[in-house]
Amino acid sequence: MDKNIAVIRGDGIGPEIVEQALNVLDKVAELYGHTFTYTDVDMGGCAIDKWGDPLPERELQKCLASHSVLLGAVGGPKWNDVPGAMRPEKGLLRLRAAMGVYSNNRPAKIWPQLADASPLKKSIVDQGIDFIIVRELIGGIYFGEHKTEGDTATDVLKYSESEIERIGRIGFETAQKRSKKLCSVEKSNVLDSSRLWKKVMHRLAKEYPDVELTDMLVDNCAMQIVKDPAQFDVVVTENMFGDILSDEASQITGSIGMIPSSSLGATTCGLYEPIHGSAPDIAGKDLANPVGTILSAAMMLRFSFDMPREADAIENAVSAYLDAGYRTADIMSQGMTQVGCRQCGQLIIDNLRKE
Ligand code: IPM
Ligand code: MG
């Protein structure tokens, strides 16, 4: 198959991790007889420096014209003083909204090889950590009005029933494909938007009688994730709660550097990115972990290109690389061999086999 991928290298460690993911994709193309064409897109701080805009319209159009978008990371201290509407992150938010990718899927799964890298007690890790956070991505407080007047700042958190319903359905459908347990997370003891969220989820539940729906307040969920993560299978939540909980969930699996994500809307054109940031402190030092981006590329193959065997091949290659005892600095432990970003990518390629 021929696929055109829009590639956003972005800022900080973005370029180096994306480079490794593209090398892996090239190897997959060679093994399976596909052609992947890459179109470079400027977004984030680098686009501000070059074009004075975190996502110029022309760059956005390249993404909308692609079969899917692969993104490294954007942002960094260099652009901290840029006004809100022109921050690097604004490019990412504009892209998500323009692509209509309302459904963000963030797996929190511990690799057996990395059980020691989890900060949780072994007795908790041994219960198993394998759940998915389905995060609403283009609504809520991220997209409400933001304003500062004098000494007062306001951010509006707003959800309509239809916005909740479409992400709710993804939550139920994801649960149907797994253990049929869905946990809806909100703050309905305080927020109107959360009370509406809960009401819509329970209305939808009648259409999915095979799925067991539970409700959890977000503060309790933050606690339960470290206390008893094995209780979760699919969590569905609004934009900002999902942002916070997915960082927390990633950390109990060992490293945020390992976690990929997919964002999809009404079409198969998706946005694929690791959930970590641009880590400017280690940028350009060949220290970053490219696995989150490499696994994001695997998700692209699985969810947007209908290439499940190719996606399996990448995931198996990552597993074989870990089995062989190689670790980037973020997950390094005693007795393992430390590798840099480039060597990590190369070792994963060396382990790629046609399934
Ligand atoms: C994420 C990031 C982004 C978000 C930032 C960079 C805008 O933290 O993808 O989780 O908050 O959504
Ligand atoms: Mg985040």
Side-chain angles (χ1 to χ4, degrees):
M1 270 193 262
D2 282 11
K3 295 290 178 192
N4 173 22
I5 303 171
V7 176
I8 305 173
R9 295 165 201 266
D11 309 315
I13 58 172
E16 45 196 308
I17 54 180
V18 165
E19 198 57 41
Q20 296 315 313
L22 297 185
N23 291 343
V24 170
L25 282 173
D26 284 341
K27 184 70 184 181
V28 169
E30 182 193 315
L31 286 175
Y32 288 85
H34 301 305
T35 305
F36 298 138
T37 319
Y38 309 119
T39 306
D40 273 308
V41 172
D42 292 328
M43 188 180 93
C46 57
I48 297 175
D49 290 351
K50 204 161 152 189
W51 308 107
D53 182 338
L55 181 61
E57 182 62 25
R58 183 191 57 249
E59 302 298 301
L60 170 62
Q61 289 305 327
K62 291 187 203 166
C63 296
L64 299 180
S66 71
H67 290 116
S68 268
V69 181
L70 182 68
L71 161 66
V74 294
K78 183 174 173 197
W79 304 281
N80 269 354
D81 296 328
V82 172
M86 285 301 273
R87 286 184 62 90
E89 292 81 0
K90 206 69 188 181
L92 175 56
L93 300 183
R94 200 186 291 164
L95 176 65
R96 289 172 177 170
M99 290 180 74
V101 289
Y102 61 86
S103 170
N104 181 217
N105 174 324
R106 300 190 161 188
K109 184 173 178 178
I110 193 150
W111 293 81
Q113 301 95 326
L114 297 184
D116 288 345
S118 173
L120 297 185
K121 275 196 287 208
K122 187 173 180 313
S123 58
I124 296 178
V125 174
D126 286 348
Q127 308 278 313
I129 302 174
D130 181 6
F131 62 100
I132 289 179
I133 296 181
V134 177
R135 169 187 176 195
E136 199 293 321
L137 201 60
I138 56 174
I141 199 162
Y142 276 58
F143 291 91
E145 191 192 359
H146 307 289
K147 68 171 188 234
T148 304
E149 282 171 336
D151 63 357
T152 305
T154 314
D155 299 283
V156 175
L157 165 44
K158 198 161 123 184
Y159 270 111
S160 67
E161 288 205 20
S162 60
E163 283 175 302
I164 300 171
E165 180 171 332
R166 64 184 181 179
I167 190 68
R169 288 193 184 283
I170 303 289
F172 280 102
E173 285 160 19
T174 309
Q176 277 181 326
K177 290 184 208 129
R178 293 175 50 107
S179 75
K180 302 190 167 45
K181 273 172 48 187
L182 179 63
C183 180
S184 162
V185 172
E186 27 71 4
K187 187 74 184 171
S188 57
N189 53 348
V190 178
L191 303 176
D192 264 40
S193 57
S194 281
R195 285 189 274 273
L196 184 66
W197 180 279
K198 189 171 173 183
K199 187 179 103 185
V200 173
M201 289 297 158
H202 282 269
R203 172 161 58 72
L204 286 179
K206 299 194 186 90
E207 293 179 44
Y208 302 89
D210 52 330
V211 176
E212 181 200 333
L213 174 69
T214 51
D215 307 297
M216 196 177 277
L217 296 174
V218 63
D219 46 350
N220 184 27
C221 182
M223 179 176 76
Q224 296 295 336
I225 284 177
V226 287
K227 191 172 165 225
D228 177 20
Q231 72 184 284
F232 296 110
D233 191 59
V234 181
V235 170
V236 63
T237 192
E238 64 96 59
N239 202 345
M240 188 159 73
F241 297 161
D243 177 45
I244 298 167
L245 294 177
S246 61
D247 266 35
E248 186 192 9
S250 74
Q251 203 53 45
I252 64 169
T253 70
S255 172
I256 195 171
M258 300 289 294
I259 309 287
S261 80
S262 67
S263 304
L264 284 157
T267 72
T268 58
C269 179
L271 170 61
Y272 295 85
E273 48 174 319
I275 77 161
H276 61 71
S278 62
D281 50 324
I282 58 163
K285 297 185 178 154
D286 195 35
L287 279 174
N289 185 349
V291 172
T293 316
I294 290 170
L295 292 174
S296 298
M299 281 182 124
M300 174 186 290
L301 302 184
R302 190 182 300 286
F303 297 132
S304 285
F305 299 170
D306 195 21
M307 299 179 182
R309 288 176 314 135
E310 291 83 337
D312 285 347
I314 296 179
E315 288 166 6
N316 292 341
V318 170
S319 191
Y321 146 85
L322 293 172
D323 278 340
Y326 296 106
R327 301 286 184 269
T328 42
D330 53 322
I331 48 172
M332 183 58 192
S333 63
Q334 222 188 348
M336 300 292 138
T337 310
Q338 190 167 330
V339 294
C341 182
R342 278 194 294 270
Q343 201 187 347
C344 169
Q346 188 55 51
L347 286 162
I348 290 169
I349 289 169
D350 294 344
N351 280 293
L352 257 177
R353 307 272 177 275
K354 195 166 176 180
E355 296 290 312

